[in-house]
């Protein structure tokens, strides 16, 4: 910023935190940061109870402001790999990036040369060892831009959560979606159907004509065109709050089920598909990997510990493996 | 093509093959196709001798003309996964694709609405089981476009070959590069240095700041601005012809070496990096996966049978694993 500009939003936030901590009257930036860090702890503690092993915790700082906490549990007793990350980023958007964002956020002025931005999010991916237990993914994020003088320009929320089984238990898919639907319905009856469809649409391995998993919810760019900021923050809080009740009963009933060597192999092939989606299609991963200075190990913690690619593998007719594929090719309504 | 246009190049080629077979006087399209199919057989036979197992052979046709032969040996005694593919494609390029290609081929007329095209290539990836034996990749291809009336518009050759060890034996890297340099030098003393640098540049996992492997050669868009078509075809023939002598001695001296469980794990981590390059950065893979109707199983035969991602893995100081990384971070001249 030029000499006449006010303090950057990173400076404003640092000052506000030092002077008065974070309360309900703080800026949304500070409240979102506090919220995701609190839930990161809650989730990590709950998962450590399930697994019996501790997460490795890495904190890192970004020179331009912000930082993150990466929590990873690798080769545990229940989880092959579990990552629960928060990140808070302050930075500057160049003109080209602003032009792109305008497609979804008309409030952005296309005539400024650069904008300050803030992004905070919690991301989680759990890959269990037992092939009967599904992988789960979750991400909730808040984005804000500011004029050079620090005044707000635009903001939005995004996020969602989705389930990726190797072996499909309908009761698990129903349980998972029921919790998400409840969280959505409390805020807007239109949300669940809209965000379920968005999820099926987004997590799709188009080159294979299959969904990555059995769905969940996904949304992006929710801003004042949709609801006011307090309402959307309350919605995101409820979505994240429903994660543990939506997943813990599932992992608890699957983690010790017996399985065969062939079932483990099938899980490994499905892990390969997970890698394909994340590396070929996921916009968040691509954005991260193409951002100079990003923390690659935190981005790629979403990949499973092990994966397999077998040429021309075809599940047997009438098998459980074949049924999963048919559901992935034609997403189902679970609730 | 409209009614007044002549036969398509696919029709011309079919007719020519039926009438007079393929000779030195045939079109470059037919000669390239015959050449890669002949070498596919030679290579498959030589690799079957090394492994002691047979390749599975799948032939497929494209409705619009052309087709391919995919040869895969999976879970053999020497190779974890070996794929040797040829493909021949006839199709039509839309205006947007022509505009992109003009950057490298000024002969292309930007004002035509569509062009017929022909593409033929041989691709090969070998992933050995033994972590002391390096993965090798090779691809040689010929591309040609034609006006709606069938007259030639532009043509070019591309290709290369590169080596990806998990454990670096300098003598292997030297042997491999020496053969490639000899093939290059016989045609142009400037080729080897230029194509070695191009290879280091292309096969780079930018998000990690490391090369995929220890290099080889890579080139693309070699057309009449460089040499005439017969000279370039002769160059590509020599490059492909040098593949077996460049790799067989290496695989033969490494395939039965003793190794530890930790060395196998390191190989699996390196396989993960191979997957990252192919799915995140490789233009050929991205192009294939985004082409409707492409044969995904043939494209992704390049992926290893198994791979591994471990959060924050660091090789021990002074270890062979660390030395490999330092070479991948700063590519070496081997000859």
């Amino acid at each position: 910023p030029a000499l006449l500009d006010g303090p950057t939003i990173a400076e404003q936030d640092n000052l506000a935190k030092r002077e008065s901590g974070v309360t309900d009257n703080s800026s949304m930036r500070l409240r979102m940061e506090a919220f995701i860090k609190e839930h990161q702890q809650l989730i990590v503690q709950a998962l450590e109870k399930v697994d019996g092993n501790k997460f490795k915790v890495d904190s890192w700082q970004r020179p331009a402001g912000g930082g993150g906490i990466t929590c990873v549990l690798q080769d545990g007793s229940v989880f092959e790999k579990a990552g629960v990350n928060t990140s808070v980023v302050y930075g500057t958007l160049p003109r080209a990036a602003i032009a792109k964002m305008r497609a979804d956020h008309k409030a952005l002025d296309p005539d400024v040369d650069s904008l300050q931005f803030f992004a905070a999010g919690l991301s989680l991916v759990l890959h269990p060892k037992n092939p009967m237990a599904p992988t789960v993914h979750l991400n909730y994020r808040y984005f804000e831009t500011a004029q050079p003088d620090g005044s707000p320009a635009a903001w939005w929320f995004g996020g969602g959560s989705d389930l990726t089984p190797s072996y499909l238990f309908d009761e698990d898919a129903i349980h998972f979606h029921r919790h998400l639907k409840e969280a959505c319905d409390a805020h807007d009856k239109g949300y669940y159907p809209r965000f379920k469809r968005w999820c099926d649409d987004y997590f799709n391995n188009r080159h294979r004509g299959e969904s990555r998993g059995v769905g969940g919810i996904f949304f992006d760019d929710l801003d004042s065109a949709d609801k006011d900021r307090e309402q959307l923050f309350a919605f995101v809080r409820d979505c994240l709050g429903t994660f543990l009740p939506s997943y813990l009963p599932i992992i608890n009933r699957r983690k010790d089920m017996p399985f065969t060597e062939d079932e483990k192999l099938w899980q490994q092939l499905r892990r390969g598909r997970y890698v394909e989606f994340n590396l070929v299609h996921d916009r968040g991963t691509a954005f991260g990997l193409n951002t100079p200075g990003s923390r690659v190990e935190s981005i790629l913690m979403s990949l499973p510990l092990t994966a397999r690619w077998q040429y021309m593998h075809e599940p047997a007719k009438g098998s459980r493996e074949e049924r999963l594929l048919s559901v992935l090719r034609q997403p189902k309504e679970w609730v």
Side-chain angles (χ1 to χ4, degrees), chain A residues 175-188:
Chain A
H175 172 90
F176 186 76
H177 284 82
R178 191 169 284 153
H179 275 271
L180 288 171
K181 183 172 188 299
E182 261 173 36
C184 288
D185 284 355
H187 295 267
D188 189 321

Side-chain angles (χ1 to χ4, degrees), chain A residues 72-140:
Chain A
V72 175
L73 197 169
Q74 201 163 259
D75 213 1
S77 10
V78 171
F79 296 108
E80 178 181 290
K81 199 155 158 202
V84 186
N85 297 351
T86 53
S87 70
V88 174
V89 177
Y90 292 89
T92 306
L93 286 173
R95 207 182 167 102
I98 300 168
K100 267 195 198 164
M101 283 182 177
R102 270 212 88 228
D104 293 308
H105 304 282
K106 301 299 172 208
L108 285 174
D109 183 345
D111 284 331
V112 295
D113 270 335
S114 71
L115 283 174
Q116 298 182 64
F117 78 90
F118 166 89
L122 185 155
S123 289
L124 164 166
V125 181
L126 313 179
H127 293 292
K129 291 193 151 169
N130 193 308
M132 301 301 148
T135 289
V136 70
H137 160 251
L138 168 154
N139 171 265
Y140 291 101

Side-chain angles (χ1 to χ4, degrees), chain A residues 177-238:
Chain A
H177 284 82
R178 191 169 284 153
H179 275 271
L180 288 171
K181 183 172 188 299
E182 261 173 36
C184 288
D185 284 355
H187 295 267
D188 189 321
K189 293 275 180 201
Y191 275 0
Y192 176 77
R194 187 174 147 208
F195 298 160
K196 163 69 163 73
R197 204 175 318 124
W198 202 342
C199 182
D200 288 335
D201 223 60
Y202 181 80
F203 292 103
N204 191 303
N205 262 327
R206 290 183 200 289
H207 61 285
R208 301 240 182 221
E210 323 171 337
S211 288
R212 183 175 78 173
V214 296
I217 59 169
F218 179 86
F219 56 89
D220 203 358
D221 299 310
L222 283 197
D223 64 12
S224 54
D226 198 275
K227 291 206 191 314
D228 77 30
R229 190 153 59 168
E230 284 304 323
Q231 287 175 309
L232 288 172
F233 185 42
F235 168 59
V236 163
R237 285 202 310 267
D238 282 355

Side-chain angles (χ1 to χ4, degrees), chain A residues 81 202-205 207 212 271-290 296 298-304 307 309:
Chain A
K81 199 155 158 202
Y202 181 80
F203 292 103
N204 191 303
N205 262 327
H207 61 285
R212 183 175 78 173
R271 295 273 203 259
R273 300 295 193 273
Y274 205 88
V275 172
E276 287 178 27
F277 179 82
N278 287 21
L279 296 184
V280 176
H281 299 291
D282 187 51
R283 287 195 294 262
T285 304
F287 178 81
L289 294 183
N290 290 317
V296 171
S298 296
I299 298 166
L300 295 185
M301 68 89 204
S302 67
L303 300 182
W309 283 270

